[in-house]
Amino acid sequence: MVSVSILNVTSYTGLELLRLLANHPHFRVTSVTGRSAAGQRLGQVFPQLYALAGGACQEEARHLAELEIMEEPEATELAFVCLPHAAAAEAVQALLQRGTRVVDLSADFRLRNPSLYQEWYKHTHPAPALLEQAVYGLCERYRERIRTTALVANPGCYATAIILALLPALSAGLVSRDLIVDAKSGVSGAGRGLRLDTHYAEANEDLSAYSLGGHRHWPEIVQELETAARAAGQTYEPGLRLTFVPHLTPMTRGILATCYAELQPDGSGRLPTSSQVQALYRDYYAGEPFVHVVDQPPHTKWTYGSNHCLLYATVDERSGRLLVLSCLDNLVKGASGQALQNANCMFGFDERCGLQGGAVYP
C-alpha cells in the first residue's frame, strides 16, 4: 500500500479525499493535518467516517476515524495538499525535499508564468523554481507527463469544466478566437470559510454573478487552451479573447458551464453541423474514462458525487455559433476526484481506482 498524507484535511476537498480514499485498493491515509482541529481524532470532527466504508472495508473506516489530526504531516510516499495558495507552495517545497510526491489542489503551480501568478494572486510566488517541474493535472491532456512527475498542479473546478468543453473545438480550428463562457457553481466551491454571500439566508433562492472584473481561473483556462491549440497546429493570434462570467447558485455541489464560440467555415464556406460537431467531440474523448459526450443538455444532478464530466455540443444555426455545455461536480472532477485520478496515474494504477461510483441521484 502507498502511504498517503492529506494536508488541511478539514477542508471540503480534504474531506472529499477521505471519502474517495476509504475504499481505494492501493492508497492508505496514514497522516492528516488541520491546525484548527489539531489533537482531535478524525472521527470526532467528522463522525460520518465511522460508516464511510462498507463490508470488508469497515476496518479501514475505523482506521481513518481514529487518525489523529496533526499540525505537521508525517513522512509518506504521496501527499495531497489542500491548503490555500501561498501556504500550499511552502508546504510543497518541504514535501518534495523529503522525497514525497505531491498533488497540490491550490492554484500555486497551475500558472507557468510567475508574473501572471503575481498579477492574479497579488503576491510574489513563493517557489518559482518549481513551476517548470510542475505538471498541470489534466489527465486528458498530460497523462504521460503526469506518470513521471513528482508534482501535479491540480486544475481549478471552473477551469476543468471549461477546458474540457473547448479543447476539441480549438484543437480542430473549428471556432474563432472569441469565446464566451457563462458558468454556474454550487456554494461549496467557495470553501468552508465563513462569508456573508455564502450564508444560507443570503445564498438560498438567489442567483448572482461575481468576479466580473476577472476570475482567477481565467489565466489558467487561457493558458491551457492556447497551449492545446498550438500543439494541434492551430494559431489564434494575438491570443484567445475569453469572456468568463461565473455565477453562484443555491446548491451545494455542481458546475454547469455554457460555452459559446463563433464557428469557422470550411474551405467551401460551409459551417459544420451539430452531428459533425458531436462526432468530433466523441472521437476526441474516445476511451476517456471520465469524460462523456451526451445526447442532451446535462444536469448537475447527473454528476453529483462522481468524477465524471458530461459534455453536450451543438450548433446554433441561426447565429453560426458552437454551443458546448459542460457539467461536473466541483468537489470531485473539479477537485478531489481529479486529484485522485492524477495520483492513480502517478503511481501506475488504473485511473478509475477509487472513482468507480456514479452520481448520487436524485
Side-chain angles (χ1 to χ4, degrees):
M1 299 285 279
V2 175
S3 58
V4 173
S5 55
I6 301 174
L7 280 68
N8 196 21
V9 72
T10 54
S11 63
Y12 284 145
T13 53
L15 181 57
E16 192 70 358
L17 277 165
L18 283 177
R19 179 180 76 88
L20 297 171
L21 288 164
N23 291 304
H24 199 284
H26 306 298
F27 291 135
R28 192 172 203 230
V29 179
T30 58
S31 174
V32 294
T33 74
R35 293 186 178 178
S36 64
Q40 299 183 68
R41 303 290 177 183
L42 270 176
Q44 292 176 277
V45 183
F46 301 114
Q48 65 268 36
L49 292 178
Y50 284 105
L52 193 58
C57 295
Q58 284 295 332
E59 182 179 345
E60 183 63 20
R62 285 193 296 271
H63 159 74
L64 289 176
E66 293 301 320
L67 273 180
E68 182 179 350
I69 302 173
M70 310 292 287
E71 288 196 14
E72 300 295 335
E74 297 177 352
T76 57
E77 297 164 85
L78 168 67
F80 293 99
V81 177
C82 304
L83 292 163
H85 62 268
E90 295 177 4
V92 167
Q93 289 183 90
L95 289 163
L96 292 174
Q97 286 169 4
R98 67 165 61 161
T100 301
R101 300 179 80 181
V102 176
V103 179
D104 176 30
L105 282 78
S106 83
D108 281 349
F109 298 100
R110 296 173 189 166
L111 300 177
R112 301 186 185 97
N113 186 336
S115 298
L116 202 57
Y117 176 89
Q118 185 169 355
E119 176 186 346
W120 286 89
Y121 291 90
K122 306 307 178 187
H123 58 82
T124 303
H125 198 287
L130 293 177
L131 292 175
E132 188 174 343
Q133 174 184 344
V135 176
Y136 193 74
L138 196 69
C139 284
E140 293 79 8
R141 272 279 292 143
Y142 298 110
R143 184 170 281 117
E144 294 307 313
R145 291 181 60 196
I146 291 169
R147 294 187 204 280
T148 58
T149 190
L151 174 58
V152 167
N154 212 59
C157 52
Y158 280 125
T160 299
I162 296 165
I163 292 167
L164 290 175
L166 293 172
L167 273 177
L170 289 167
S171 297
L174 204 65
V175 295
S176 74
R177 61 185 285 259
D178 289 307
L179 309 171
I180 297 174
V181 178
D182 176 303
K184 298 172 177 65
S185 175
V187 179
S188 62
R192 292 191 75 194
L194 297 178
R195 284 175 24 186
L196 179 62
D197 60 348
T198 59
H199 286 190
Y200 179 81
E202 301 287 339
N204 184 46
E205 300 184 83
D206 186 56
L207 179 63
S208 60
Y210 65 98
S211 295
L212 272 70
H215 190 281
R216 284 172 168 173
H217 289 180
W218 185 95
E220 179 184 342
I221 295 163
V222 172
Q223 169 188 278
E224 292 305 317
L225 289 177
E226 288 184 345
T227 300
R230 285 194 299 270
Q234 306 297 335
T235 56
Y236 289 93
E237 298 300 338
L240 295 176
R241 188 163 62 182
L242 170 66
T243 298
F244 165 40
V245 180
H247 298 75
L248 182 67
T249 60
M251 61 185 181
T252 302
R253 295 171 179 247
I255 284 179
L256 180 66
T258 305
C259 308
Y260 307 83
E262 184 179 355
L263 288 163
Q264 300 276 61
D266 61 18
S268 59
R270 291 176 296 193
L271 296 178
T273 65
S274 290
S275 60
Q276 289 171 328
V277 167
Q278 289 162 8
L280 170 73
Y281 270 70
R282 287 196 170 91
D283 183 65
Y284 191 93
Y285 288 116
E288 287 296 339
F290 296 114
V291 183
H292 312 281
V293 181
V294 295
D295 295 325
Q296 55 186 304
H299 295 221
T300 56
K301 282 273 191 181
W302 297 356
T303 61
Y304 194 101
S306 81
N307 197 53
H308 298 280
C309 176
L310 305 183
L311 300 176
Y312 175 72
T314 189
V315 172
D316 181 351
E317 296 180 357
R318 288 178 294 276
S319 65
R321 290 191 178 96
L322 172 70
L323 306 181
V324 185
L325 280 71
S326 180
C327 182
L328 53 76
D329 185 319
N330 58 288
L331 291 180
V332 191
K333 183 58 173 169
S336 302
Q338 182 148 252
L340 180 52
Q341 183 182 356
N342 283 318
N344 284 333
C345 189
M346 292 170 79
F347 283 84
F349 305 137
D350 189 317
E351 288 176 32
R352 297 167 294 180
C353 281
L355 296 168
Q356 294 95 335
V360 177
Y361 188 87

